[in-house]
Amino acid sequence: MKSTFLLFILLRVVSGRRTPLLMGLPNTATVEENAPAGVSIYTFNVTGSPLSSGVVAIHPTIVNSNPLTEAFALVSAGDLMYRVVTTGNPVLDYETMPKSFDLQIFVEDTAGRTDLSTLTVQLADKNERPVFWGNMAIQTVRIYVLEGTPPGLIYRVNATDPEHGQLKYSPLPESVPFWVLENGDILSKREIDYEKDPHSYFLNITVTDPEGLNSTKTVNINIINIDDESPYFTTKQRIYRIPEEQSPGTVVANITAKDPDDEDSPSRLFYSIQSSDTYFSINPSTGVLQVTGRMDRDVPPLKLHPNVSVIVRVEDSPHGGHSSEMEITVIIGDINDNPPECNPSTFRKEINENTTAGIVLLDLRNSCKDVDVDPPNNLFSFTGLSGFGSNNFALDPAESGRLVMTESIDLENPSTPGIEVYSLAVRVQDIAPPNYSIGSTIGKVTASDADWPPSVITYSIIAGGGTKDYTNAFWISPSNGDVKILARLDYETTQKHFFTVQASDQEKTATASVTVNVLEVNDEEPICSPSFYSFQIPVSLAVGTNVNGFRIQCQDRDSDPRSFRYFIKEGNMNNHFTFSPVAGSNTSRLILASPFDYESGLDTKWIYRLLVYITDDNLLSAKNKATHLVKTGTVTLSIRVIPNPTTVTTTTPSFTVVTKRENLYLDSAWYVPFVTTLGGLMLLGLLGHLGNLLARWLCAHCPPAPRADSTPLINAPEKKKPKKEVALEMIKLNTVFDGEARDPVTGKMYEFNTQSGARRWKKSNEPLQPTAAMQVTPSVTGNGGQETNSAEVPSKKETKEKRKEPREAANPPTGSSQAPGQDRMEVPKRKEEPEGRELLSTAQQLRH
């Protein structure tokens, strides 16, 4: 359409019908390069013809340009005035565009008149700022440089001057480690350390043309971190203290480190122990130092060297990375895991009577020790002095273990007659609270994992495994699953123990229940009562006699009563004593097995101190006795033989002080005496009830037989019996002293009765009394013919002789002589009393 219109105008011009309407054209105008849009270049007017009344039909229009461009446009300025302006598209550039443009402008009024004229626009050169090339022209350029890069070129900046002038680049501040050369090269002055220098730099690059115009762009230089630094430990502590016997897995220390190359992110470090160490291990990822082996402070090498040095290494790569090492010291502390022990545990000490009070008899500390190495764990005290005659002794100072006499002992003292042996017990106890130690391996728990080797699996006890006295009675090795005991197991208390073991591969876990069956062993000693006894026996004691009626009764928590065997271990000179039964019972009596013979010189010892052993092996065969554990209880006896009056002997009285272990009930076993007492009372009540029932049954089924001389129920006429007289002969008994001896203390003579043991001081002018005949001769005997007042039981022969002469004894002749020291008394019979009542009355008189 536009082409047709232009053709029409041209045809009219050619035909000679052109009429000048554009005033001021043609003409030439100038505009500077880079002029923005809307800059007025030239102004012209349009003149209308009279026929058109000054009205244009087609406003002035740029119909063509040479060269073709859209950089110019016409805009109305009002009243048929128009301006040529820049459009800004494209921006006029002297260096890249034509230097002039011919603009052809066409106009037509309403009368049909037209005009076409040319405006030449010349482009004027202007000094422009330098221009950067590439990305720098449109954005900030980011440059990445590795730390440690040697000094040198790192980037080249390109810029040009539109006027092709020589450009210069401004230098950078001295604070930055870079240079910019005049040709735009950026160089580093030195190696940059990521850990010490800034991680990023912003450089303003300024370029200037010869006339002083400049342009500025920004370059961002970023430093890239590389693995060039060794990690360092952030843990400051170097000495740690832990007690011995810690369970495997116990945390000792948390070792931490940092890698300077990972300053802005968590470090990926690897920990290891470089020193040869059997006690500890370290988690390679977390640095947690843990216990892996048993640490017994009481045995070498820890006994002498309790400080364990561990060299810990940290690396920033598992293979060949940078590393650092640190030495830490773990001090193994002592705990009280061992009781004091005394060897020997039984002591004997003989001293003379009248020994001065205050003398030290024993210092138990010389025989007792505690293997714990450090105080107060190896300190112990001696308390609880008890036993027969313990009031005569004391520990001075208290709890010291020094046994002293508190007062002198006199064997002739009436308050302690014949007591020559004192059995004492002392308790040896730790001062520090007790702990336990690891014992023997009793089993093994194993687990397998298809994804991991066995070395990755760890074991732990997560539930159970405790006893009344210990929270943890068992321990399992985290690495191999070995189960060990931590405390003494008592079959008599608990026969089975249960606990749960967990196996873990650091990601998944599995559990297993473990049952420990405690096997019964003979670990309890027989306990016998009494454990000590002292008594006297006459030298003429008959063989086979139960000595002083003594018997012992024993019990054992883990043995049958038939398993006891009794024998005298020490002190049974010439085998005068034995026990009956010697085995198979929990009760046995002391028997005199052979008579004493001092006259021939076979026996010379008057005091026998017997050490009796009670073993629990009676039910074992001879073969099993050699392999089975046998426990032994002890009883100590002190026997003094009383000589005949004619026997002369000289002895030096002495006594034995014995300290021995004593089985004691714990406070927690309060129920034992309670249950025993309650059971005894219930048994006693049952026996009484049964006796009452038996008595009632006998009364109901067995009525008593009537007495021959009982009085009839009906008062019958009583026959008068002839009067009888009964005479009773009574003999007044005097104590006869048939032996004499000299008191070793005062030197005075005293007399004694060999049968009763009675004594009295002898008068200087009194001869030794002869043995008097003692008898009681009644004319009428009591029920059953028993004598009611007799000082000596007559022999069978004497009894027969007396029975042959009852009347002679009842009616002695007048003027019969009486034995010396005897008084005769006749008791007449009451008249008018039955014969049976006469006998009863006579017996009552004798008792009175």
Side-chain angles (χ1 to χ4, degrees), residues 412-697:
E412 285 73 29
N413 191 332
S415 61
T416 58
I419 300 177
E420 301 178 1
V421 180
Y422 294 83
S423 178
L424 308 177
V426 176
R427 176 179 296 172
V428 186
Q429 185 176 4
D430 272 333
I431 293 178
N435 287 280
Y436 51 80
S437 60
I438 295 178
S440 305
T441 300
I442 61 173
K444 186 181 184 71
V445 177
T446 58
S448 61
D449 193 323
D451 300 325
W452 298 95
S455 59
V456 176
I457 301 175
T458 59
Y459 303 87
S460 61
I461 297 177
I462 60 175
T467 65
K468 180 182 65 174
D469 299 321
Y470 298 96
T471 303
N472 300 312
F474 302 93
W475 172 78
I476 188 169
S477 172
S479 58
N480 58 24
D482 287 343
V483 178
K484 295 186 178 183
I485 57 175
L486 301 177
R488 180 179 180 270
L489 305 181
D490 187 8
Y491 176 86
E492 286 72 30
T493 302
T494 306
Q495 290 78 37
K496 290 181 181 291
H497 296 270
F498 306 92
F499 56 89
T500 302
V501 174
Q502 175 179 279
S504 173
D505 62 2
Q506 309 303 327
E507 295 180 357
K508 296 181 180 180
T509 61
T511 59
S513 297
V514 179
T515 301
V516 179
N517 295 304
V518 183
L519 302 179
E520 183 179 12
V521 295
N522 185 25
D523 60 343
E524 301 285 346
E525 297 179 355
I527 301 176
C528 301
S529 178
S531 59
F532 173 81
Y533 199 74
S534 177
F535 48 86
Q536 302 176 3
I537 61 173
V539 70
S540 58
L541 185 67
V543 174
T545 304
N546 180 193
V547 178
N548 208 41
F550 176 79
R551 70 171 186 173
I552 55 176
Q553 186 170 2
C554 303
Q555 60 180 358
D556 192 330
R557 294 180 62 196
D558 56 10
S559 299
D560 190 278
R562 297 173 298 168
S563 64
F564 295 130
R565 187 165 59 89
Y566 307 86
F567 61 93
I568 301 174
K569 180 67 174 178
E570 297 177 5
N572 192 15
M573 186 70 67
N574 295 330
N575 298 322
H576 287 303
F577 304 96
T578 188
F579 277 89
S580 178
V582 295
S585 174
N586 66 333
T587 302
S588 185
R589 298 176 299 151
L590 182 64
I591 303 297
L592 184 66
S594 62
F596 299 103
D597 186 359
Y598 293 94
E599 296 180 356
S600 66
L602 177 63
D603 290 322
T604 59
K605 190 175 183 179
W606 294 91
I607 297 178
Y608 292 84
R609 297 181 178 89
L610 307 182
L611 179 62
V612 183
Y613 277 13
I614 303 93
T615 61
D616 53 9
D617 60 352
N618 182 56
L619 300 181
L620 299 176
S621 63
K623 179 180 179 180
N624 291 336
K625 287 182 181 179
T627 58
H628 281 65
L629 184 62
V630 177
K631 289 294 184 177
T632 303
T634 59
V635 171
T636 304
L637 302 178
S638 178
I639 304 174
R640 173 187 282 269
V641 180
I642 303 300
N644 288 326
T646 58
T647 303
V648 179
T649 182
T650 301
T651 62
T652 301
S654 62
F655 71 97
T656 301
V657 178
V658 181
T659 64
K660 59 185 181 65
R661 288 185 176 181
E662 181 177 296
N663 292 324
L664 301 173
Y665 282 118
L666 298 174
D667 295 338
S668 59
W670 58 269
Y671 56 86
V672 175
F674 174 75
V675 173
T676 304
T677 304
L678 181 60
L681 293 176
M682 294 176 65
L683 180 61
L684 184 62
L686 178 61
L687 293 177
H689 180 65
L690 294 177
N692 185 27
L693 295 178
L694 180 62
R696 291 183 180 181
W697 186 87

Side-chain angles (χ1 to χ4, degrees), residues 17-43:
R17 295 178 62 189
R18 178 180 182 273
T19 301
L21 298 176
L22 298 174
M23 302 301 293
L25 292 178
N27 207 337
T28 301
T30 303
V31 61
E32 288 185 352
E33 64 176 328
N34 301 321
V39 173
S40 179
I41 300 174
Y42 185 76
T43 304

Side-chain angles (χ1 to χ4, degrees), residues 322-400:
H322 297 84
S323 65
S324 296
E325 292 184 353
M326 176 181 68
E327 180 180 7
I328 66 173
T329 301
V330 182
I331 301 176
I332 312 301
D334 184 44
I335 63 174
N336 185 24
D337 58 343
N338 293 285
E341 294 183 357
C342 299
N343 187 18
S345 60
T346 302
F347 304 84
R348 295 179 179 274
K349 180 72 174 180
E350 293 190 9
I351 60 175
N352 295 329
E353 67 171 327
N354 297 320
T355 299
T356 305
I359 187 173
V360 178
L361 303 180
L362 286 173
D363 192 343
L364 298 178
R365 289 192 174 274
N366 297 332
S367 302
C368 301
K369 65 177 182 179
D370 191 324
V371 298
D372 292 319
V373 295
D374 293 333
N377 301 322
N378 59 0
L379 301 180
F380 49 89
S381 61
F382 299 84
T383 59
L385 179 63
S386 61
F388 184 79
S390 59
N391 58 327
N392 295 316
F393 306 90
L395 296 175
D396 186 23
E399 304 182 357
S400 65

Side-chain angles (χ1 to χ4, degrees), residues 232-238 240 253-257 326 328:
Y232 60 92
F233 290 95
T234 57
T235 300
K236 303 304 180 183
Q237 185 175 351
R238 295 294 187 270
Y240 298 86
N254 188 13
I255 306 301
T256 58
M326 176 181 68
I328 66 173

